[in-house]
Amino acid sequence: MDLVKFVQDEFVTRNELPQFSAGDTITVFYEIREGEKVRTQFFRGVVIQKRGVGASETFTIRKMSGTVGVERIFPVNLPAIQKIEVNKKGVVRRARIFYFRGLTGKKARIKERRG
């Protein structure tokens, strides 16, 4: 078990990311490779959960694309992630806000943390 931890600490590149938690609205800028071309795409949405620890840490973002909800899971140490911007700090009482999936319209708003 210690060998796995050692390899992760030595060889996994760590991204320097801002602090964010569930309920925050963030924008993730990441690279997409299409053959020889490389372009940057962004995904802006609400963080539903952060899970895992160390190299296996991931976070899930949910956004509405028209009337369809789209969720995407990003590994924290994904090399394709260029940067993460925290757009809003949200006030939620839970670490994992799966109930957010069932909310629509005005109910799906999250209060913003001041200061």
Side-chain angles (χ1 to χ4, degrees), residues 21-25 88-92 110-113:
S21 59
D24 296 352
T25 303
K88 280 188 207 167
K89 286 280 194 185
V91 178
V92 291
I110 295 178
K111 281 186 180 173
E112 192 172 351
R113 181 177 292 131

Side-chain angles (χ1 to χ4, degrees), residues 31-96:
E31 283 183 357
I32 289 188
R33 296 190 186 279
E34 294 171 334
E36 294 296 309
K37 287 189 280 184
V38 178
R39 63 187 176 88
T40 301
Q41 188 168 318
F42 69 89
F43 194 92
R44 175 181 291 143
V46 177
V47 178
I48 286 190
Q49 72 169 343
K50 283 180 80 172
R51 71 183 306 184
V53 70
S56 63
E57 190 176 352
T58 62
F59 57 95
T60 305
I61 302 180
R62 179 179 176 85
K63 75 172 186 178
M64 292 303 291
S65 182
T67 57
V68 180
V70 179
E71 289 185 14
R72 179 135 190 202
I73 300 170
F74 289 98
V76 168
N77 296 315
L78 186 70
I81 292 179
Q82 292 176 336
K83 66 177 178 174
I84 294 180
E85 290 178 355
V86 179
N87 303 103
K88 280 188 207 167
K89 286 280 194 185
V91 178
V92 291
R93 295 183 179 184
R94 298 175 183 217
R96 299 185 175 172

Side-chain angles (χ1 to χ4, degrees), residues 1-18:
M1 190 63 182
D2 290 338
L3 182 64
V4 172
K5 188 174 181 332
F6 171 76
V7 170
Q8 287 177 350
D9 291 343
E10 289 293 316
F11 298 109
V12 174
T13 56
R14 296 233 180 271
N15 287 344
E16 290 298 318
L17 303 177

